[in-house]
Amino acid sequence: MTQGGKKKKRAANRSIMLAKKIIIKDGGTPQGIGSPSVYHAVIVIFLEFFAWGLLTAPTLVVLHETFPKHTFLMNGLIQGVKGLLSFLSAPLIGALSDVWGRKSFLLLTVFFTCAPIPLMKISPWWYFAVISVSGVFAVTFSVVFAYVADITQEHERSMAYGLVSATFAASLVTSPAIGAYLGRVYGDSLVVVLATAIALLDICFILVAVPESLPEKMRPASWGAPISWEQADPFASLKKVGQDSIVLLICITVFLSYLPEAGQYSSFFLYLRQIMGFSSESVAAFIAVLGILSIIAQTIVLSLLMRSIGNKNTILLGLGFQILQLAWYGFGSEPWMMWAAGAVAAMSSITFPAVSALVSRTADADQQGVVQGMITGIRGLCNGLGPALYGFIFYIFHVELNELPMPESPAGGSTVTQYHLQQNSIIPGPPFLFGACSVLLALLVALFIPEHTNLNLRSSNWKKHCGSHGHPHSPQAPAEAKEPLLQDTNV
């Protein structure tokens, strides 16, 4: 793109932001406290995931009590259905929020995502059933990122998204430990009540304090206004994957590396609790330490690596750490091995930010949205397939528990755990070894990705696809890069 074209685009973005500020100043937004800001979005995210983080330990216990014979299989099916529904619904909810405004969809997603919480003590079966169905609305990050895009300029957006993601990580660093402590001292019922109260506080905050970010004059007068159905198609971006060899290589790398990661997130804390004999407090401490190390890895370490060894080599290094981590999880039979592998897991978290940076740097400015949308679609698909795959592998290798863990000994073990480690002494964690093989394939594919080649995506079909994602009522520029939408990783 020529310098003149870039200047015109920047001028157009400034004009859009000026128009939005004028409209907001003229009183075009519904009631709320103050003007729309990133801090409104940050509080919404923090409260929602803090509430769910409190339930980490109680959920693991209730899951095994409800499905004692096929715990891992049912956990994989529940999280898999939720992930697939999120993948299918995220583009539609995003498109509707472009037309009808963000506040109503923030309220909708938070309400239905948190709706299962009080059911944990009322009816565990309904609790897990509603969790599966709530995947249709479990896309709060999608709406929050759109909210942030409405109120920030392009050069401010990366920092704003980073603040939202850091808030999400901070909520999960603190809340599992708090929930485990309260559950041990006062019982799980109090934890469920507290989580429900925080979820209600989040809903009330949206109703009372969050102002609408999409200006009134940029929205249609009627709720019956049409939306872009191509934008709402979850498979629209995936259909374009094979049209460029470099994009194909990147997408295959993301699929093969994120599929085991998604499966691991859905089952690993249950694995620590039931198979490795971790206490609730140990699981909470593991989450906290891993979260802190991941934040350090994705900020300081990632920045140093990108400057010293380059983008592609950073991706390869991250994949190498992920292979080591998964293999260690797969063969590890002692708690200290899990802690050591967790430190390696934090280093492997640099892979996806490095992939996103590679795409952003090599793709043309007017095609960022298409390529980033493909990667988002791949990750969303993995969020559904990964948990189901891990649950199935646990099932076929008979990694199950036939009774609840016995009271822990001072050494932190139990007879049930020792029995199952003897049963599966060769391969304690089969799905993790499968994941290591998948990431090894991703590493081999990533070797063929050129680091300094522009992505040639200039065919008329690509242009048409880019244009279709710019909705007439959306404040974003049509070709603007869309941030990953399916970030609602399971606790």
Side-chain angles (χ1 to χ4, degrees):
M1 180 180 289
T2 63
Q3 291 293 330
K6 291 182 180 179
K7 290 181 180 178
K8 289 180 180 178
K9 183 180 178 182
R10 285 196 294 268
N13 287 337
R14 285 195 296 269
S15 299
I16 292 173
M17 290 304 303
L18 179 61
K20 288 192 286 186
K21 288 179 180 178
I22 292 173
I23 292 170
I24 292 173
K25 187 177 180 181
D26 289 341
T29 56
Q31 294 180 351
I33 297 178
S35 300
S37 69
V38 177
Y39 299 107
H40 288 100
V42 162
I43 294 174
V44 171
I45 285 292
F46 181 84
L47 291 176
E48 177 180 334
F49 287 97
F50 190 88
W52 275 108
L54 290 172
L55 297 177
T56 302
T59 297
L60 300 182
V61 175
V62 172
L63 179 67
H64 180 65
E65 289 177 345
T66 308
F67 308 107
K69 292 185 178 180
H70 304 299
T71 308
F72 289 99
L73 177 63
M74 294 307 299
N75 177 65
L77 292 177
I78 291 167
Q79 302 298 339
V81 170
K82 181 179 179 181
L84 284 175
L85 290 177
S86 298
F87 165 69
L88 295 173
S89 64
L92 176 60
I93 290 179
L96 291 173
S97 72
D98 282 344
V99 178
W100 297 338
R102 316 296 184 196
K103 180 172 180 174
S104 56
F105 283 93
L106 278 177
L107 185 63
L108 191 71
T109 55
V110 170
F111 176 82
F112 282 102
T113 302
C114 296
I117 291 177
L119 295 175
M120 176 181 285
K121 287 300 179 182
I122 299 174
S123 173
W125 278 92
W126 276 106
Y127 171 70
F128 290 112
V130 175
I131 282 180
S132 299
V133 179
S134 71
V136 174
F137 300 98
V139 290
T140 306
F141 265 100
S142 153
V143 186
V144 163
F145 280 149
Y147 188 97
V148 171
D150 291 342
I151 57 179
T152 56
Q153 298 187 37
E154 190 171 354
H155 69 276
E156 304 170 330
R157 207 154 291 155
S158 296
M159 184 177 296
Y161 287 145
L163 180 60
V164 172
S165 298
T167 302
F168 161 72
S171 69
L172 294 185
V173 164
T174 55
S175 55
I178 295 174
Y181 172 77
L182 293 176
R184 179 169 56 84
V185 176
Y186 301 104
D188 289 344
S189 296
L190 176 67
V191 180
V192 174
V193 171
L194 179 60
T196 304
I198 293 175
L200 290 174
L201 177 63
D202 197 9
I203 293 171
C204 294
F205 177 78
I206 297 172
L207 280 171
V208 176
V210 176
E212 176 59 62
S213 64
L214 194 62
E216 187 75 28
K217 295 180 182 178
M218 299 184 71
R219 288 179 280 149
S222 170
W223 275 58
I227 64 170
S228 171
W229 288 108
E230 186 172 356
Q231 182 181 358
D233 181 6
F235 299 98
S237 60
L238 301 183
K239 295 174 184 176
K240 305 291 182 180
V241 168
Q243 294 193 3
D244 185 274
S245 59
I246 300 174
V247 174
L248 182 62
L249 290 174
I250 292 175
C251 288
I252 292 175
T253 301
V254 171
F255 179 81
L256 291 174
S257 62
Y258 193 71
L259 182 68
E261 187 175 341
Q264 174 187 320
Y265 285 154
S266 70
S267 61
F268 186 63
F269 301 133
L270 176 65
Y271 180 79
L272 290 179
R273 183 76 176 91
Q274 307 291 357
I275 302 299
M276 299 306 301
F278 275 46
S279 65
S280 298
E281 292 78 9
S282 297
V283 172
F286 188 94
I287 296 173
V289 172
L290 189 60
I292 293 171
L293 292 177
S294 297
I295 292 172
I296 295 173
Q298 293 183 56
T299 53
I300 301 172
V301 177
L302 179 62
S303 177
L304 293 174
L305 289 175
M306 294 281 278
R307 286 199 300 265
S308 59
I309 65 176
N311 206 322
K312 178 181 175 181
N313 290 331
T314 301
I315 295 173
L316 297 177
L317 183 63
L319 292 173
F321 276 116
Q322 189 177 0
I323 294 171
L324 177 60
Q325 162 228 330
L326 288 168
W328 209 336
Y329 282 156
F331 286 113
S333 58
E334 299 293 335
W336 71 265
M337 296 180 181
M338 299 297 103
W339 283 98
V344 179
M347 280 300 300
S348 71
S349 66
I350 65 176
T351 303
F352 187 73
V355 169
S356 298
L358 177 65
V359 169
S360 178
R361 187 168 55 82
T362 56
D364 290 336
D366 60 342
Q367 292 156 359
Q368 293 277 342
V370 178
V371 183
Q372 295 283 3
M374 287 180 186
I375 295 176
T376 298
I378 294 291
R379 282 169 62 91
L381 197 58
C382 291
N383 281 332
L385 298 178
L389 181 63
Y390 265 50
F392 180 69
I393 295 176
F394 273 125
Y395 174 71
I396 63 176
F397 277 87
H398 306 291
V399 182
E400 297 291 347
L401 295 174
N402 297 320
E403 55 183 307
L404 283 171
M406 296 174 65
E408 294 179 357
S409 65
S414 67
T415 57
V416 176
T417 300
Q418 292 168 2
Y419 169 77
H420 273 278
L421 289 180
Q422 291 171 1
Q423 287 275 68
N424 299 281
S425 57
I426 299 177
I427 306 178
F432 304 112
L433 289 183
F434 168 82
C437 295
S438 178
V439 179
L440 178 60
L441 293 176
L443 178 65
L444 296 176
V445 173
L447 290 172
F448 295 94
I449 300 175
E451 186 170 0
H452 301 291
T453 304
N454 286 328
L455 304 180
N456 299 316
L457 309 176
R458 295 187 175 277
S459 68
S460 59
N461 288 336
W462 285 89
K463 296 288 186 179
K464 181 179 178 181
H465 182 74
C466 286
S468 69
H469 280 259
H471 195 273
H473 300 292
S474 174
Q476 292 178 299
E480 199 168 273
K482 296 199 181 290
E483 291 293 319
L485 302 183
L486 296 175
Q487 302 266 349
D488 286 343
T489 52
N490 301 303
V491 176

